[in-house]
Amino acid sequence: MHGRHEIGTDLGRDRLLRRGLKLTQLRLLATIAETGQVSAAAIQLAISQPAASRMLSELEGIAGEKLYLRHPRGIELTEAGGKLADWAHKVLRDLDAADREIGEMGAGQRGLVSIGSVTGPALEMVLPVLRQMRVTHPGITANVVVDTSDKLAELLLTERLDFFVGRVPRDVDHTAFAAHVIGPEPLGLIVREEHPLMRYQEVTLDQCVEYDWVLQAPGGLLRHTVETYLLEKGVRLPARVMSTSSMLMTLAFISRSNAIAPIARSVAEFFGGSEGLDGRIAILPAADDLAVSPYSILRPVARPLSPASRVFHDQIKALVETKASEDRQL
């Protein structure tokens, strides 16, 4: 019983390692397979020939098989020796590949990045960078979450996002975030292309509030912004409102009714423009100065970005700065 137990253990996992196998021995055997001589292998590994011979003898004892035969011209590996040499080559190649991959991760060439964004910047900034990174950094995998800022802030603080593009919610500790401010988010009032108000070159807010509106639930930033804007313009709030945070539901409701919905202008242009989805959505010629408060690229103060996340973060930041420079030149 005891003997069978020892034999079973000896044939299990890590047998060669538990017997003392070292990477230097594998390097030696792999080099001997290439050179056919102990002396030549010793020179390549910068060790003495006696040390190489001793290491080879130790390896044979660890393997428990005859690994080589000596002859006048050098050394010849047995079938077992050749098989172990093949595995030695594979192990060493895998270690080199691991070293390269770790180095690439350290340089931001590989890794998983989790990004969050509110809807407008997701299309205007995150999407272009995603397309660019697929070419320049194919080893980086990106997971993108599009949601409201309060949901994104929660995901960031619970370490489920690396960074996000949005705003710090009012009821969250602002000192937990590091921010690169981008600017206000312009809004547009969207309708279906055949909406009655699209017959006019200019539309007043008083005309708009006569129709149904699609808004976020009360308390949402977008709804608060729109309602504050209307009140400041001296316009009564719409009497009929359908509340939803779903962009899909908003677009579906707009396309099948005469309702009006405020959404990020970049999103409206994407869904309605010929270069986007050409979804028969139009922006009303009204409220051109309507915008949500400035948003930022936000990351946690207490947690550094991984190299891959840093590459993504900096690419989005560079795109923001390029757009700002172009806007200043207009």
Side-chain angles (χ1 to χ4, degrees), residues 14 34-35 74 79 88 95 113 173:
D14 304 330
E34 294 171 353
T35 64
E79 183 179 359
L95 285 173
V113 181
D173 180 11

Side-chain angles (χ1 to χ4, degrees), residues 116-119 145-152 155 165:
S117 180
V118 293
T119 309
V145 178
V146 179
D147 213 320
T148 57
S149 289
D150 56 338
K151 299 288 182 58
L152 298 175
L155 293 175
V165 184

Side-chain angles (χ1 to χ4, degrees), residues 40-62:
I43 291 172
Q44 285 195 29
L45 299 181
I47 59 176
S48 67
Q49 183 170 340
S53 296
R54 185 171 59 254
M55 194 183 301
L56 190 59
S57 178
E58 291 171 351
L59 180 58
E60 199 170 56
I62 290 168

Side-chain angles (χ1 to χ4, degrees), residues 5-16 18-19:
H5 177 72
E6 286 186 347
I7 292 173
T9 301
D10 201 40
L11 293 176
R13 293 183 57 186
D14 304 330
R15 183 180 76 91
L16 294 177
R18 287 186 285 105
R19 284 190 166 193

Side-chain angles (χ1 to χ4, degrees), residues 185-234:
E185 184 177 15
L187 300 178
L189 302 180
I190 65 166
V191 294
R192 61 186 178 90
E193 283 187 342
E194 299 82 8
H195 194 282
L197 291 179
M198 289 303 297
R199 298 195 300 265
Y200 302 97
Q201 291 187 348
E202 292 186 13
V203 176
T204 68
L205 291 173
D206 287 317
Q207 288 175 294
C208 293
V209 296
E210 294 297 327
Y211 292 87
D212 293 352
W213 280 52
V214 184
L215 295 171
Q216 283 182 333
L221 176 62
L222 180 58
R223 181 161 183 166
H224 174 76
T225 299
V226 171
E227 291 180 339
T228 300
Y229 178 86
L230 292 175
L231 292 173
E232 288 177 348
K233 297 292 185 179

Side-chain angles (χ1 to χ4, degrees), residues 35 38 43 45 61 66 82 93 106 124 144 152 156 161 203 208 217 237 249 257 280 287 292 309 311:
T35 64
V38 175
I43 291 172
L45 299 181
K66 188 69 177 174
R93 285 196 303 269
E124 193 173 11
V144 181
L152 298 175
L156 184 73
L161 288 179
V203 176
C208 293
L237 300 183
M249 181 61 71
S257 70
R280 302 179 62 80
V292 184
S309 298
V311 171

Side-chain angles (χ1 to χ4, degrees), residues 28-326:
L28 174 64
L29 187 63
T31 307
I32 288 174
E34 294 171 353
T35 64
Q37 294 183 330
V38 175
S39 58
I43 291 172
Q44 285 195 29
L45 299 181
I47 59 176
S48 67
Q49 183 170 340
S53 296
R54 185 171 59 254
M55 194 183 301
L56 190 59
S57 178
E58 291 171 351
L59 180 58
E60 199 170 56
I62 290 168
E65 297 285 345
K66 188 69 177 174
L67 299 180
Y68 60 94
L69 298 171
R70 294 185 182 273
H71 55 77
R73 296 187 303 277
I75 195 169
E76 180 181 353
L77 297 181
T78 64
E79 183 179 359
K83 180 64 68 175
L84 186 57
D86 289 342
W87 279 104
H89 278 294
K90 183 179 186 305
V91 168
L92 295 171
R93 285 196 303 269
D94 287 347
L95 285 173
D96 286 340
D99 179 50
R100 287 193 300 273
E101 188 165 332
I102 291 170
E104 288 173 350
M105 291 177 69
Q109 297 297 318
R110 289 185 178 273
L112 173 65
V113 181
S114 294
I115 307 167
S117 180
V118 293
T119 309
L123 295 175
E124 193 173 11
M125 296 170 191
V126 177
L127 181 59
V129 171
L130 277 173
R131 294 172 60 188
Q132 174 187 338
M133 295 284 283
R134 286 184 63 188
V135 176
T136 60
H137 294 75
I140 296 179
T141 302
N143 174 47
V144 181
V145 178
V146 179
D147 213 320
T148 57
S149 289
D150 56 338
K151 299 288 182 58
L152 298 175
E154 179 184 348
L155 293 175
L156 184 73
L157 295 176
T158 54
E159 301 188 8
R160 286 175 284 177
L161 288 179
D162 296 309
F163 65 92
F164 76 90
V165 184
R167 302 164 185 84
V168 180
R170 289 188 294 257
D171 57 348
V172 174
D173 180 11
H174 284 49
T175 62
F177 300 86
H180 176 78
V181 179
I182 297 174
E185 184 177 15
L187 300 178
L189 302 180
I190 65 166
V191 294
R192 61 186 178 90
E193 283 187 342
E194 299 82 8
H195 194 282
L197 291 179
M198 289 303 297
R199 298 195 300 265
Y200 302 97
Q201 291 187 348
E202 292 186 13
V203 176
T204 68
L205 291 173
D206 287 317
Q207 288 175 294
C208 293
V209 296
E210 294 297 327
Y211 292 87
D212 293 352
W213 280 52
V214 184
L215 295 171
Q216 283 182 333
L221 176 62
L222 180 58
R223 181 161 183 166
H224 174 76
T225 299
V226 171
E227 291 180 339
T228 300
Y229 178 86
L230 292 175
L231 292 173
E232 288 177 348
K233 297 292 185 179
V235 178
R236 63 178 177 82
L237 300 183
R240 299 178 302 277
V241 173
M242 195 274 280
S243 297
T244 181
S245 296
S246 167
M247 181 58 63
L248 178 61
M249 181 61 71
T250 298
L251 293 172
F253 196 82
I254 289 296
S255 66
R256 289 168 172 79
S257 70
N258 285 333
I260 298 171
I263 65 172
R265 188 169 287 270
S266 58
V267 177
E269 291 169 350
F270 176 80
F271 281 111
S274 58
E275 295 183 1
L277 296 181
D278 198 14
R280 302 179 62 80
I281 298 296
I283 301 176
L284 284 174
D288 291 337
D289 58 342
L290 178 59
V292 184
S293 59
Y295 60 95
S296 306
I297 307 173
L298 296 161
R299 58 182 177 82
V301 169
R303 175 164 43 95
L305 293 173
S306 69
S309 298
R310 170 60 66 181
V311 171
F312 239 108
H313 176 280
D314 290 350
Q315 289 291 334
I316 294 176
K317 183 177 176 181
L319 178 60
V320 169
E321 293 171 350
T322 298
K323 286 181 175 293
S325 177
E326 292 173 350

